[in-house]
Amino acid sequence: MKLLSALVAAAICCLASHGAYATDVKLSGSAFYRERIALPSDATLLVEFIDLAKPETALAATAVAPAGQVPIAFGLVVDSSKLSNGEAYAIQARIEVGGSAWFASAEPTPVDLARAGELFSILLVQAGSKNAEEASGVSLAGTEWRVLELDGKSADPNVTSTLIFDADGAVSGNGGCNAFRGNVDMEGTTMKFGQLASTMMACEDAKSVQEAVFHAALSQTAAYFVQDGNLMLVDAAGKTVARLGAP
């Protein structure tokens, strides 16, 4: 009996020394950003629980899709077998659209497991370190992007509207009848077209209508992302105003 008690005591001591937790840890909270940019309907919030000594490997993760608008609530369960006493843990998050990171944690948020029941608030900042074309592996420059949809409606198959990005920040294209040139400012996932200079040719009605809608979409563009090889232009409310494809 004394031997059995000694073995049990040794086992408990061993578990304590390895920091084993008796139950899984539940974390919850919300993620938000301060920029006045609405998210598209297909945005996804990804939250990861990490060991700060090995941040490249998530010990637990969850996805909220569709994310909706900020603040975005989340819940995360961490397997107790992956936890040890004396380790430093944290949570980090990012919002992705079409595989591109729009917002991400400025830095990991520390997690005190003794206070895991408290709500966490994660501040996100624009993911400017990698823009949408870098994240997708698709280069915008040098490609003649052709308009496929405008304001949710298919483009006229008999009218060709195009957009070309140069490496120096210049843009050019054709609205459907008239050629245009100008500049675009891009940082992270944001995109803002400057004043566009256009030729003044008279066009038939179908071309004039599509050209006007296309130029309106460019003037409304506040951000972009690349999805399935298509260039998606969205306005400040998160609405897709144009979808363009590469030939």
Side-chain angles (χ1 to χ4, degrees):
M1 186 66 178
K2 290 183 178 180
L3 178 59
L4 178 60
S5 298
L7 290 174
V8 171
I12 293 175
C13 179
C14 181
L15 286 174
S17 66
H18 283 79
Y21 283 74
T23 60
D24 294 345
V25 175
K26 297 181 180 180
L27 306 174
S28 59
S30 62
F32 72 100
Y33 53 81
R34 296 193 177 102
E35 289 82 357
R36 298 182 63 183
I37 298 176
L39 294 172
S41 59
D42 60 342
T44 299
L45 172 69
L46 302 171
V47 183
E48 298 176 333
F49 178 84
I50 60 172
D51 182 340
L52 288 175
K54 303 175 182 178
E56 67 281 357
T57 303
L59 300 180
T62 189
V64 180
Q69 303 301 326
V70 294
I72 305 168
F74 67 86
L76 183 66
V77 178
V78 184
D79 186 339
S80 61
S81 66
K82 297 181 179 180
L83 301 173
S84 299
N85 284 329
E87 299 295 333
Y89 297 108
I91 50 177
Q92 59 188 14
R94 66 184 183 276
I95 295 175
E96 292 188 353
V97 178
S100 301
W102 277 36
F103 296 90
S105 299
E107 57 185 21
T109 301
V111 174
D112 181 353
L113 294 178
R115 304 171 63 182
E118 297 182 359
L119 294 177
F120 292 88
S121 185
I122 305 177
L123 172 63
L124 307 177
V125 297
Q126 278 191 283
S129 60
K130 177 177 284 190
N131 61 33
E133 61 176 324
E134 290 174 330
S136 65
V138 176
S139 175
L140 300 187
T143 297
E144 184 181 64
W145 295 93
R146 297 190 178 184
V147 173
L148 303 177
E149 291 182 0
L150 290 170
D151 201 22
K153 299 178 181 178
S154 297
D156 189 324
N158 298 314
V159 180
T160 301
S161 300
T162 62
L163 181 63
I164 301 172
F165 295 86
D166 293 336
D168 60 359
V171 291
S172 60
N174 193 295
C177 176
N178 286 285
F180 64 84
R181 292 192 64 83
N183 294 289
V184 62
D185 291 325
M186 298 169 58
E187 182 177 354
T189 58
T190 63
M191 176 181 285
K192 183 68 176 178
F193 290 93
Q195 187 70 33
L196 300 177
S198 175
T199 58
M200 301 294 290
M201 292 176 55
C203 310
E204 58 187 75
D205 289 347
K207 292 183 177 181
S208 294
V209 170
Q210 180 159 307
E211 185 166 83
V213 178
F214 182 33
H215 278 280
L218 295 178
S219 67
Q220 295 165 11
T221 297
Y224 77 105
F225 61 97
V226 179
Q227 183 176 55
D228 298 328
N230 291 328
L231 172 61
M232 316 294 285
L233 306 182
V234 299
D235 63 15
K239 176 185 176 182
T240 299
V241 294
R243 179 171 69 90
L244 300 91

